[in-house]
């Protein structure tokens, strides 16, 4: 039986960086994200008793590097005695480049696999399984503003607002294509083992999370902007002070940040956030999106822009 699902990447405003349990892939800190609408990964899972092994293609090409993680995830959704699977993944945005492609991929995978095996699992269970494969994937199972709590025994996520309650626009400035030099999972482990700032990062996260949750509840854009930028810069400071240092930024990343600072000084409703990669995400009020888009398009080093509103969680696609 074959089933297809779609999930969107999410952009973390309060960052997930670090693991409290490497084997189960449990986050060391809580996080807050927004799920995007325009960017997506579509995943088809076909269970076939005649297949000797699982097979994976990504954007039409055979993929072996991710196959072990995909197999482990399929076993958790469908059971270890399942039929082998033919899995096909396609994305409409760059993968492995700091745009949460693994989040959308594994969120789509668990929903498609559950559908192919009979649709027995709850949304909470699917989020937990997705998070075991990729920590941020748990958030892409849900839509809009999503909180992931680190204090629970296992991964737990909740949707904070209905999509229509606080519409925001996210403009992504692509400053580099191609995969990043080090994956997020390995980079987190390096930071935890070697950065002198890591323990402080973990200790202060609850305060940032509480501030951001209050900002979302109050629809206070200025408060959310201040804590999100501060949290982003703290995370990258942990990366930079790891040994060896982890530096994802390039010249264009810095140029985009300067553009956003100039817009803010002029009263534009916008702030930046940057995940584990060189791409800059400008989160803005919908009425200011045109000004932000124009300014970023003129910023040196920006290769292209992608624009999105806030979107839904992972779901099955009709045949």
């Amino acid at each position: 039986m074959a089933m297809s699902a779609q999930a969107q990447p999410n952009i973390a405003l309060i960052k997930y960086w670090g693991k409290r349990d490497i084997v189960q892939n449990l986050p060391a800190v809580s996080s807050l994200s927004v799920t995007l609408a325009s960017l997506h990964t579509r995943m088809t899972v076909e269970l076939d008793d005649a297949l000797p092994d699982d097979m994976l293609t990504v954007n039409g090409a055979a993929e072996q590097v991710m196959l072990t993680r995909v197999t482990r995830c399929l076993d958790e959704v469908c059971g270890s005695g399942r039929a082998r699977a033919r899995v096909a993944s396609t994305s409409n945005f760059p993968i492995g480049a700091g745009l949460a492609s693994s989040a959308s991929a594994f969120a789509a995978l668990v929903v498609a696999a559950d559908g192919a095996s009979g649709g027995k699992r709850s949304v909470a269970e699917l989020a937990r399984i997705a998070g075991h494969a990729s920590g941020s994937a748990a958030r892409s199972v849900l839509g809009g503003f999503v909180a992931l709590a680190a204090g629970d025994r296992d991964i737990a996520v909740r949707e904070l607002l209905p999509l229509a309650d606080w519409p925001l626009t996210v403009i992504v400035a692509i400053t580099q294509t191609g995969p990043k030099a080090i994956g997020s999972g390995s980079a987190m482990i390096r930071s935890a083992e070697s950065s002198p700032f890591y323990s402080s990062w973990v200790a202060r996260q609850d305060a940032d999370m509480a501030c951001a949750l209050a900002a979302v509840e109050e629809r206070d854009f200025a408060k959310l902007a201040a804590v999100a930028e501060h949290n982003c810069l703290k995370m990258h400071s942990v990366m930079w002070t790891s040994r060896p240092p982890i530096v994802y930024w390039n010249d264009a990343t810095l140029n985009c940040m300067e553009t956003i600072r100039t817009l803010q000084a002029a009263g534009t409703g916008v702030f930046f956030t940057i995940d584990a990669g060189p791409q800059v995400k400008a989160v803005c009020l919908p009425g200011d999106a045109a000004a932000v888009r124009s300014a970023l398009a003129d910023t040196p080093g920006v290769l292209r822009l992608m624009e999105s509103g806030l979107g839904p969680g992972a779901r099955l696609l009709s045949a």
Side-chain angles (χ1 to χ4, degrees), residues 1 10-11 26 33 58 65 149 154 157 190 219 225 239 285:
M1 184 177 183
N10 66 79
I11 302 302
L26 302 181
S33 67
V58 176
V65 175
D154 207 337
V157 293
R190 184 189 299 180
R219 319 304 196 263
M239 295 181 194
L285 297 169

Side-chain angles (χ1 to χ4, degrees), residues 224-291:
L224 183 62
V227 70
E229 288 190 355
H230 181 60
N231 190 263
C232 168
L233 294 174
K234 284 195 298 183
M235 181 184 74
H236 283 276
S237 295
V238 171
M239 295 181 194
W240 297 336
T241 53
S242 302
R243 292 189 175 182
I246 304 161
V247 180
Y248 289 113
W249 296 5
N250 55 33
D251 288 348
T253 307
L254 293 166
N255 292 339
C256 289
M257 293 167 66
E258 184 62 27
T259 293
I260 291 169
R261 289 286 187 237
T262 300
L263 288 166
Q264 290 172 334
T268 306
V270 62
F271 65 88
F272 68 79
T273 191
I274 308 161
D275 291 308
Q279 329 301 356
V280 178
K281 294 88 174 180
V283 182
C284 57
L285 297 169
D288 287 323

